[in-house]
Amino acid sequence: MSASWTWHGGGVEAARAHFDGEDWIDLSTGINPHPWPGTNALAIDWQRLPERHELAGLEAAAADYFGVDPRHVCAVPGTEIGLRLAGGLVGGSAHYVAPTYRTHGEMIAGAIRTTLDAAGAGTVILANPNNPDGRALSSAQLRGLLDRRDPGAWLLLDEAFADVDPALSLAGAIDDARPLMIFRSFGKFFGLAGVRLGFVLGPSPMLDAIRAALGAWPVSAAAIAIGTAAYRDRSWTEAMRARLRNDAAALDAVLAAAGHAAIGACPLFRLIEVPSGIALFEQLARHAILTRPFAEQPRWLRIGLPSTGEALARLETALRG
């Protein structure tokens, strides 16, 4: 199976070229199919660089949304860059809890793959909710992991999907004394991955080092304007959380009717285990539906939320073969 579809979600153009077909449905990414709707109403000045106070306003809006002090929030051009910068600053020996997002294994050179039960007291890289299996740990469980860190060790916590349930976040534990850094994605929950906006939450000295590495103007004027407005739109946020839960329940019902048990507590995607994930991936692709297979777990297939009832019905038909 080509790395076009097993490396990350996406790759619709490659799928169209390989499988043919029109009107593709992309269920491979775990990105909210109902994006925040306010982008076109914003006035963005493309002819000037962002002002420092505008970036500070974005970080303040995000901090209020996350429930932390703004001095513990640093905007980055996507969490992918934030993960790699923070990993380079922490360095040393580390373990990453698998299965998980591929970049976690690349954050710190020599990081060793482990399981949640076997994670020791050194630096640990962990996602909550986890991708791709949707495992979710309580804040009490996460605090227990944090409290077990050895001196000089860190808990590096990827909360890219935590917006769906704020109770899952450990952001309230962020301060200058705890060895905790959290990574938050804007694009996944708000459905605007192309904005390329994320945040690192952590002790001020670590964030100062990340800002120094990023240099001036770390994110675009568009990212600042869109992120600031979206994080302040609390009514949309609350309504979307409820909508995603309902959409996930509808997806679960379709999967169950096709004989598949849905795994995961994150409503933006579901994981199923089948005799051959690649075979089911190709079956769905012949119906112009793109999902996410895994080279290292050939029985897994991750399926994101269809955006409409019509898309869900197409998935239901395609699952029947």
Side-chain angles (χ1 to χ4, degrees):
M1 174 58 60
S2 169
S4 296
W5 305 295
T6 60
W7 184 259
H8 284 298
V12 172
E13 290 305 316
R16 183 178 288 113
H18 185 82
F19 295 101
D20 295 323
E22 299 295 332
D23 190 24
W24 275 78
I25 299 172
D26 187 359
L27 306 182
S28 68
T29 66
I31 294 168
N32 186 354
H34 315 296
W36 182 72
T39 55
N40 291 336
L42 297 174
I44 299 170
D45 188 344
W46 294 102
Q47 293 187 297
R48 65 172 180 84
L49 293 166
E51 300 284 352
R52 291 179 63 88
H53 74 272
E54 293 169 331
L55 176 60
L58 166 65
E59 292 177 341
D64 183 55
Y65 176 90
F66 300 143
V68 300
D69 189 288
R71 68 190 182 90
H72 294 303
V73 176
C74 174
V76 294
T79 49
E80 178 77 12
I81 290 177
L83 289 165
R84 295 180 184 275
L85 286 176
L89 291 170
V90 169
S93 62
H95 289 78
Y96 64 97
V97 175
T100 193
Y101 180 59
R102 188 183 297 271
T103 298
H104 293 177
E106 303 171 355
M107 286 175 62
I108 298 177
I112 298 172
R113 180 187 180 107
T114 190
T115 63
L116 184 62
D117 292 339
T123 292
V124 172
I125 304 163
L126 175 73
N128 193 60
N130 194 45
N131 174 23
D133 62 358
R135 180 206 65 231
L137 303 178
S138 69
S139 59
Q141 289 174 295
L142 293 171
R143 284 180 180 271
L145 280 171
L146 178 60
D147 292 342
R148 291 200 299 272
R149 294 311 93 208
D150 285 334
W154 288 80
L155 177 59
L156 304 177
L157 185 58
D158 187 345
E159 293 187 348
F161 291 99
D163 298 77
V164 297
D165 184 358
L168 298 174
S169 176
L170 201 59
I174 291 286
D175 59 27
D176 282 338
R178 292 189 176 96
L180 171 66
M181 278 192 281
I182 293 175
F183 307 87
R184 296 293 292 255
S185 168
F186 173 79
K188 292 180 176 63
F189 176 73
F190 288 92
L192 298 169
V195 172
R196 302 309 304 136
L197 177 62
F199 299 86
V200 181
L201 285 59
S204 299
M206 294 298 287
L207 300 191
D208 289 343
I210 291 173
R211 290 189 177 99
L214 288 170
W217 312 295
V219 296
S220 70
I224 290 174
I226 294 170
T228 302
Y231 279 128
R232 289 174 175 166
D233 192 350
R234 296 300 183 89
S235 60
W236 181 90
T237 298
E238 292 303 321
M240 183 52 59
R241 287 175 179 146
R243 180 175 186 176
L244 292 175
R245 289 192 294 270
N246 291 335
D247 285 359
L251 175 58
D252 289 345
V254 165
L255 293 173
H260 303 300
I263 302 169
C266 178
L268 285 172
F269 58 85
R270 287 295 189 257
L271 187 74
I272 59 175
E273 189 168 349
V274 296
S276 173
I278 298 301
L280 184 54
F281 166 84
E282 292 179 344
Q283 174 182 317
L284 297 177
R286 288 191 291 272
H287 291 261
I289 298 175
L290 187 63
T291 52
R292 172 71 194 282
F294 298 86
E296 296 181 356
Q297 299 287 348
R299 299 183 63 187
W300 285 4
L301 193 69
R302 193 187 68 189
I303 302 174
L305 286 183
S307 60
T308 64
E310 291 78 8
L312 184 64
R314 268 182 60 183
L315 174 63
E316 184 174 21
T317 299
L319 286 168
R320 293 198 296 264

